[in-house]
Amino acid sequence: MVLRSPQDALYAITSDWPIDGGVHQQRVIDFCRAWLAGRMPAETVRQAFILAALEAGLSIHDDDEGPPSSVSNPPV
């Protein structure tokens, strides 16, 4: 799955997410809705989505930082 916007992230996390009720999952849903309303920067949503994906045990390939690589730990 390739996500290109917070709107894509909102669709993914509400329709096809492997866990339900995670703390980071709910935060992403709230952040995506705030982005849609013009109150949240996309980069903040992106970082929250990465944490939610890790919480769900998903592998992340982040093209924003060069060649794709799996993210195994959240940024500190």
Side-chain angles (χ1 to χ4, degrees):
M1 174 183 304
V2 175
L3 305 175
R4 300 192 190 282
S5 72
Q7 190 168 1
D8 290 349
L10 181 60
Y11 177 79
I13 208 158
T14 57
S15 67
D16 194 28
W17 206 244
I19 66 168
D20 191 27
V23 172
H24 293 291
Q25 178 189 21
Q26 186 57 53
R27 183 171 292 145
V28 170
I29 292 168
D30 295 342
F31 283 12
C32 286
R33 289 179 178 153
W35 175 81
L36 288 167
R39 298 187 319 260
M40 181 75 60
E43 180 59 25
T44 302
V45 177
R46 181 182 158 284
Q47 291 298 322
F49 187 86
I50 289 170
L51 292 175
L54 293 171
E55 175 182 62
L58 299 174
S59 178
I60 299 290
H61 299 282
D62 188 0
D63 289 339
D64 237 19
E65 299 174 2
S69 61
S70 290
V71 174
S72 58
N73 294 312
V76 177

